[in-house]
Structure formats: structure tokens, C-alpha cells
Amino acid sequence: MDDLLEQFLIEGRDLVAQAHGDLAALGREPQRRDRLDSLFRAVHTLKGSVALFDMAPAERLLHRAETRLDQTRRGDAPLIARDFEGLIAVIDQIDRWIDDIERHGRLPDAAESRVAEILAALDEEERPAPAAHDAGGLPDWAEAALARAPLDVRHPARTAFRYSPDPECFFRGEDPLALARSVPGLLALNLLPTEEIPALEDVEPFRCVLHIEGLSSTGIDAVRTAFRMVPDQIALAALEADGEGEHREGRTEADGTQPETAESSGAMRVSSAKLDALAAEVGQLAAALNALEAATERAGAFDRDFAAELRRVHGALSRSLGTLSATVSEVRRVPIEPVVRRLPRLARELAASLGKDLRFELAGEGLEVDKQVADAIFEPLLHLLRNAIDHGIEAPEVRVQSGKSASGAVGLGFSRSGDHLSIVLSDDGRGMDPDVIRRAAVAKGLLDGAEAAGLTDRQALRLVFAPGFSTSQAVTEVSGRGVGMDAVQRAIERLQGTIEIESTVGQGTRIGIRLPLNAILTRLVTVCAGGERYGLRMDQIDETLRLDPATIEEVGHGRACTIRDRTVPVVSLAALLGHASDVGEESGRLVVTGATGQRVALSVDTVDERIDAAVRERSGLLASMPAIGGTAIDADGGVLLVLDLPELLA
């Protein structure tokens, strides 16, 4: 792929995300001038970027959007609901066309007709150009421009202008000096530095650091037209002469926003493959460190002094590995916003295709997550969003009949909870009926009637993750084929995450996803059950303890114990995994987990060491085995099965 095109695809999508964020903020708080300016800059920069490629329809759309925003910035016409709809349509269309350029290298044949449709939504009639503000006198820069001009041009001058080109304009193929020289009736032109001129060796030749000032014999409107493509970079002053040819008063107008002149951040782009390789090496180091710890314990049986020295070395290496892992994790973190930026547009399009009114709210998208999470989370979220709109949100007339507003609400929020990312997708739709799910499961042969009746409502809701499960009576373009929710669960599992569903019939559904922020190393507790060794994720464990086996009592068809005055059911891990022997019943060693929403104590043979390990997703023969969350390298170099406690106990 061409380097220039690759850069455009990255920056173009970032600008689309910025524009959508600014539009959403302005919809809530129309008085936010900073958001209006940010939206204007995003649209203006996008317009300059698409001009480098064969995207003339996109340039026309963005120019119209820029004109509308410029009128609002100058105080002539506030944005109304129709404007917001049109601007969203423009940004959504630019987003689609960026995808087309990436996939096909050109815009679709229907691009021109699409431009006409969107321009109609933006209102074909241009609003009147802003009147110049009466400032009661000339600004200092205009006075200085007059003073620098030759005497013979001062009297015919009617307009003074000051053009401050964007510092990065050269990279977009712009020629500021040629633009300034195109001003009609040009009488005088001066180039002034925007900052102190550096030493020759420090000069950046491709950075524009000039103000271009000039005088024109034409009116302010004609000069403004010459700079119509860069309205945020120009300041104008209308000059009024007295009978002796002296300019004493004037009218001025300026953009009110200075172009950004931030210094280079020193950032550099690194191949994602190199970051993945670096993370893999950290995992290998962790495995080697775990092996060193095991070797140290064995050495203690022969030479205590040597073992003590090994422990000191192990401690130093462990601290260095912790620092390295944290640094690599920080480098791998990327904003979630570019990943989810397409969801609002897709939600609007899907709702419109189904004839539903929808309010979609996105919150917390500014959080940063591990690159592995960012790369893999879009498809699961899209599945969930489509289900929420198709299955959850009712048709407008149905909502009104049930006492709800005609417009449904879907919210997607991101937040940080300790070392984890929490994602919540909620809707105020019809909700999920556990009884309907039970009947559907029986009809599809997933369960018999007795098994379905024995499920709690929480367990019944989790049946939607079974392969091929669907309650839809008809197959549509959106859903009904039983494909999606099982794929969502597998995707979340591959990220070492969990997913839970809460729903109330008639009120809506809430789906919660919990993912680790650090996808490189996972803290595990190793246990033995039925004579086999397993790994349990620390974030799924509340505590470990040892009780007198006599205090574990038979209760109904199961067993339970009392922990801090609360009765907790006890389940044999060996029995859950199908092992015949169960030393755990006699050892009294318990691992207490709340991963399923209620506390459960797992009886095990032994609770062993804690290790940091890179957990790999299950594959091959393990891919079809339930309750296996992945594999890791144990301290002895063998493969350690990492259990998924929520699935094991579901």
C-alpha cells in the first residue's frame, strides 16, 4: 500500500472519530465553543486530506459542512436539528468512502448521487455571509500593515488581511503564498515570522512559520472569498479613509481560533507485529523465571547457601520482569475510540432499516486498552449491538402501547475497574424471558424438559451462548440463524474475559463484559485436583483457605460450609472435571470464587504456588472442551490447563 494512502487511512479515521465525538458533545451542550472549533478543524483537515486523492465528491460534501460550521462559529446561525442530521450524514458517508478507498482504491459509482442526497439534508440555501464586526478601530496588526505599506497604496486600500497558514500546510500540498497572491486588487504583501527565527541548523524547512499580511483595493467580501478554503486561518479588517486619505477606523473579523502550533511530540510508529513479538518474549521470560523458581526449591535440598543465592537472583529478575511487563503493556495500549467509532453509524443504519427510532449513547471511549483487546473487541460488540437493536428494541408503535417513548435507547459504556476493562451494553427494550429461552432450548434438543426446569433464571439466560441457539421465528438479514452469541463468548474467552447477562422482561437487558487491561501476563494460582495440576486465574478467586473437613456438612444433595457466618456451597473440583478420586474432600483445602455472581467453594487436593504466565487461547483438541480457558507453561516446562471458572460452574 502507498505510504501516503496508508497515512491518510489512519489519520482520516482518527478525524472521523474526532468529528463524531464533537458532534455528540455539541448535541448535549450546544454552547461548547471548544467542541465547535474542534469539529471545524476536523472537517477542514479532512477536506484537505481527501483533496490529495480521487475523492472529489467527498471534498464537496466536506466543503459544504465546513461552510455551515463557519457560519455558526461567526455567530450568524446556530446549529439546529436539521444541521446535526446533515453533518452526521456527511461524516458517516466520509467514513464509508474511506473504507471504499482502502478496499477498492476508488469511490463507488453512486458517489455523485449520494452527494446530492446529503446536500439536500444540509439545506441547499446558503445562509448569509457573516457581517464584519464593528470593533470601533483597526486592530494592531492592520495598523502595522498600513504603516509598512508604501504611501501610494494606503489611500486605495479598502481591506487589510492577515493569513496565518497551518504549520503543516506543506504536507497537504497547499501553497500559502500563491493563495495570498490570488487576492483580487492586491496592493501590498508582507511575510512576517510567527516565532523567533531559529539558527540555520535548527530550521524545519517543511514547517510553515509565517504570517502573510496584505492590503487589497477590493471589499472585504471579495477578499474573504479568496480565502474561503481556509476560513479559520484568516483575519480581515475593512478600512475606512477620511477626506485626507488617513485610515482612522475600521471593521474587523477574525476566526477567533489560532491554528495549533504544537511542537512535535517525538512519537514514532512501530509495526504491530514487533509489539506482538515483544509481548511473546515477555511471556517466554516469565516461563523461564517460573522454571528458575522451581529449580531453586530443588537446589535447597542439597545446598542451602546456593539456593539462597538463587533466590536473590530470582527476586532481582522478577522485579525487572515486572517493570518490563508493565512498560511493554503501556506501549501496547491504544485508545478504544478508533475501534468503536463506526458503531454509532452502524446502529443508526440498522435501526433505520428495521423502521425503529433509536438513541445510541457511547461513553468512556477515551480509555486505552491493550492492542490485543482493541484488535478483537469490535466484532463481539457489533454482534451484541445488532441483537440489542433487532431483538431488544421494539417497534415505535409497540413501545408507545406499552407506555414507553417511541424512541428506544441503547448505551455502550467503557470504564476501568482495577486491572480490568468493564464494558456494559444496555437497552430499554423488551428484555429476555427465561421461560421462552427454556422452551426454545428444549425445542432445539439442547436440554430435556426436566433439565430446563431445573435451571435458574441466570443459568437459562446463558443458554443464548449455546451454538446454534436462537429464539427468532424468522431468518432475516440481521439475525435468526443462531449465529453470533456463541461467537461472542468465544471471542471474549480468547481475551481471557468474562461475559454476563442481566435482563428484566419489559424493561431491557444489560450485558457486562470484563477484560484484563494487561493481556501479556496473567497471575495464576496452581492447584491439584484428582491428582492433576491446573491453573486458576487470580481475578476469579476471592480467597483460599483450609477448614476442618468435619465442618463441611451434607446439605440436601450437596455440601456446604460456613465462612464468616455465611453458608457457602462446596463443590468438588475433581468431580466437576470427571476425576474418580477426590483427595480434596479429606484435605479441607478450598478455593472460594464469586465468578458466577454467587460465592462457591471448590474443594481441591492442594493449593500450590502463584505464577505469572502468558495464557494462550485453547486450540486443537482443547478448542471443543468446555471450561478450559487456555493453556500456559508450568514451572516444570509442562503444559498447564487454565480453567474458566464461570463456565465450569454455570
Side-chain angles (χ1 to χ4, degrees), residues 419-420 496 514 522-526 535-544 591-595 607-612 615 642-643 645:
D419 292 332
H420 286 79
Q496 305 303 313
R514 184 176 168 87
T522 302
R523 176 61 62 90
L524 301 175
V525 174
T526 56
L536 305 179
R537 284 170 40 191
M538 276 284 290
D539 63 307
Q540 295 181 353
I541 297 175
D542 291 348
E543 60 180 320
T544 62
V591 176
V592 183
T593 177
V607 177
D608 301 323
E609 66 273 8
R610 302 177 182 182
I611 63 173
D612 290 317
V615 179
V642 180
L643 303 180
L645 294 184

Side-chain angles (χ1 to χ4, degrees), residues 314-333:
H314 178 274
L317 289 175
S318 180
R319 289 189 293 272
S320 296
L321 177 62
T323 301
L324 177 61
S325 176
T327 302
V328 174
S329 295
E330 187 66 27
V331 171
R332 284 172 54 90
R333 287 184 185 173

Side-chain angles (χ1 to χ4, degrees), residues 601-619:
L602 296 171
S603 62
V604 298
D605 301 351
T606 61
V607 177
D608 301 323
E609 66 273 8
R610 302 177 182 182
I611 63 173
D612 290 317
V615 179
R616 310 301 181 194
E617 64 178 277
R618 58 187 182 185
S619 59

Side-chain angles (χ1 to χ4, degrees), residues 432-449:
M432 301 169 66
D433 189 336
D435 290 333
V436 172
I437 294 175
R438 290 186 182 95
R439 290 194 294 271
V442 173
K444 292 180 179 297
L446 298 177
L447 299 171
D448 60 34

